[in-house]
Amino acid sequence: MTWEILNILAVSAFAFSGAIVALNERYDIFGTFILGIATPFAGGIIRNIALDVPVIHVWEQGYLFYVALITIAIVYFFPKTWVMAWDRWNIYPDAVGLSAFALQGASFAVQQDFPLGGIVFAAILTGVGGGVTRDVLAQRRPMVLHQEIYAVWAMVTGVVIGLGWVDLYNPFHTYSIFLLIILCRVLSYHLGWHLRFRDLYRI
């Protein structure tokens, strides 16, 4: 039940984020649904291809596809003035999707008996893959390439799970790391944390 809830939250959040970006870029209804569907599912597809795991696993939970479609439809048919205002808050659903999908990717790698490196790699690809796909399709600079911290939080998730510091079968542990990564991502955005060190050497 824990993972089903996290998967629904992740798919809804990234589908919402993708649809908002599409509408702000003035995509039509077809483009909005394509971008909204690509955002939650691209990360898992990229992960499976990179780890040489059948992509069919991504589509086995068919109800998530309907969750994405319903979310996109709700966003698309809401008053456009509301939707345009939501773009400034897109950081929050994006943080939810990043955290939930990083957890899901790390869990998937653990189930496939991958070593620590594979678990971290799966967490990063699953966590940031959808957001990167969304931004590339919308012709925006991907968040993961910005100076602000983004992919690092997916990497942290993979390390914590790969080292066994979190019991994936314990709902309290799972939800705690889920909420912690969301908090870290939101704080890093609002406080302007970044990985750019060149400013330290300016005179």
Side-chain angles (χ1 to χ4, degrees):
M1 180 62 70
T2 299
W3 289 105
E4 288 181 358
I5 293 173
L6 287 179
N7 283 336
I8 291 173
L9 287 174
V11 169
S12 298
F14 264 11
F16 178 91
S17 177
I20 291 293
V21 169
L23 289 175
N24 273 275
E25 296 297 329
R26 302 191 181 281
Y27 282 29
D28 61 14
I29 186 171
F30 180 76
T32 301
F33 273 85
I34 290 297
L35 195 59
I37 291 172
T39 305
F41 294 110
I45 293 172
I46 294 170
R47 175 202 65 209
N48 284 22
I49 292 174
L51 297 179
D52 196 26
V53 176
V55 178
I56 189 64
H57 292 164
V58 178
W59 305 110
E60 286 180 344
Q61 294 176 303
Y63 71 94
L64 294 176
F65 183 73
Y66 297 109
V67 169
L69 289 178
I70 292 170
T71 303
I72 299 164
I74 291 172
V75 173
Y76 188 83
F77 291 108
F78 255 80
K80 296 301 182 286
T81 53
W82 293 13
V83 172
M84 298 309 174
W86 286 346
D87 189 47
R88 72 184 67 179
W89 308 107
N90 213 7
I91 172 64
Y92 299 105
D94 188 82
V96 172
L98 170 69
S99 179
F101 274 124
L103 270 169
Q104 192 238 45
S107 173
F108 178 84
V110 169
Q111 293 173 3
Q112 298 293 321
D113 294 322
F114 281 98
L116 176 61
I119 295 171
V120 174
F121 191 58
I124 294 173
L125 287 182
T126 314
V128 308
V132 170
T133 302
R134 174 200 62 208
D135 293 341
V136 169
L137 291 176
Q139 298 183 2
R140 295 185 173 187
R141 184 173 56 165
M143 283 187 182
V144 70
L145 302 180
H146 285 201
Q147 66 185 37
E148 61 187 68
I149 300 176
Y150 186 76
V152 170
W153 301 125
M155 181 182 71
V156 169
T157 303
V159 170
V160 168
I161 291 176
L163 292 176
W165 295 348
V166 172
D167 181 3
L168 294 175
Y169 296 100
N170 186 319
F172 177 76
H173 286 191
T174 303
Y175 284 123
S176 294
I177 188 65
F178 169 65
L179 294 174
L180 180 62
I181 295 300
I182 293 174
L183 179 62
C184 288
R185 169 57 189 147
V186 171
L187 283 177
S188 68
Y189 174 80
H190 286 293
L191 298 179
W193 297 348
H194 58 77
L195 299 175
R196 188 178 64 182
F197 297 105
R198 64 185 182 188
D199 291 338
L200 298 176
Y201 302 99
R202 289 181 179 175
I203 299 176

